[in-house]
Amino acid sequence: MPGWIELQRGDITMIAVDAIVNAANQALAGGGGVDGAIHRAAGPGMADELRSRYHGCPTGSAVLTGSGQLGDHGVRWVVHAVGPIWRGGHDGEEDLLRSAYKTSFLLAEDAGARSVAFPAISAGVYGYPLAGAAAVALRTVRDCLVRAESIERALFVLFSTDTLEAFERALRELTPRG
Ligand code: AR6
């Protein structure tokens, strides 16, 4: 059965899904925004795991860890995705953002997740324009869901009304294929 996409406004650290995706940076060192919130909620064990297993992560890719204290409400994995910094749109940003979502989805799928929650990767301090970020996110995740065997529910957890509305518009405009 093909999976489905849901949109909701909220804080991704409060969501009970198998895997949540983080908008991280290449150093995997933690930071502000959703990254800071996820590190605070997970506790130091997740940062220790990042340091011991990985030596950073290139833009457009992602790595997977356990979820630390986020496990208290059922989250099993955190996928740390590195989206592109927006530099005007001629620096491969769209491909890199697509790749960050796709890699994240596949890592969650390979781990055996049935549900996964995403934030709006790159749409905060990395400056990716909201309408474009939403369109790339939804198209990529929709295309992944079509082929998924394990993941059946993909949730976008959007922190502000503006972001939620941009995703709602992009979802309405999503073409049936491609
Ligand atoms: N739950 C869901 N979404 C959130 C939350 C939350 N708790 N907090 C913020 N957002 P950003 P980026 C939204 O800046 O643009 C970090 O310092 C936020 O409103 O977190 O990919 C990293 O370490 C926005 O819509 O990520 C990197 O250095 C979206 O999450 C850098 O920021 C993404 O905003 C990554 O920048």
Side-chain angles (χ1 to χ4, degrees):
M1 193 188 80
W4 68 92
I5 290 177
E6 294 170 32
L7 308 181
Q8 83 173 58
R9 188 177 163 191
D11 175 350
I12 203 166
T13 65
M14 306 300 286
I15 304 295
V17 285
D18 293 337
I20 68 174
V21 176
N22 182 16
N25 54 58
Q26 287 186 334
L28 300 175
V34 70
D35 195 11
I38 289 174
H39 274 269
R40 279 192 298 280
M46 188 181 75
D48 291 344
E49 184 181 347
L50 278 169
R51 262 193 304 277
S52 64
R53 289 182 63 190
Y54 305 107
H55 300 283
C57 176
T59 300
S61 193
V63 301
L64 181 131
T65 63
S67 64
Q69 289 153 25
L70 283 164
D72 295 351
H73 58 262
V75 175
R76 297 178 65 188
W77 302 283
V78 176
V79 180
H80 306 264
V82 184
I85 297 171
W86 181 259
R87 294 195 165 91
H90 301 291
D91 204 26
E93 291 96 328
E94 184 176 336
D95 285 347
L96 290 165
L97 187 59
R98 187 180 307 118
S99 172
Y101 276 105
K102 185 172 180 183
T103 310
S104 299
F105 190 102
L106 294 176
L107 285 172
E109 168 86 5
D110 285 349
R114 296 179 65 188
S115 54
V116 57
F118 295 90
I121 299 170
S122 287
V125 299
Y126 278 4
Y128 203 111
L130 203 43
V136 170
L138 288 165
R139 203 178 329 118
T140 306
V141 168
R142 187 272 316 269
D143 289 349
C144 288
L145 270 172
V146 171
R147 296 175 188 84
E149 292 182 0
S150 160
I151 294 174
E152 53 194 26
R153 178 172 175 237
L155 183 60
F156 284 90
V157 181
L158 293 328
F159 207 49
S160 68
T161 306
D162 280 1
T163 316
L164 175 62
E165 287 174 357
F167 273 71
E168 285 172 344
R169 266 192 302 277
L171 189 57
R172 282 195 296 275
E173 287 164 9
L174 196 62
T175 51
R177 276 170 169 276

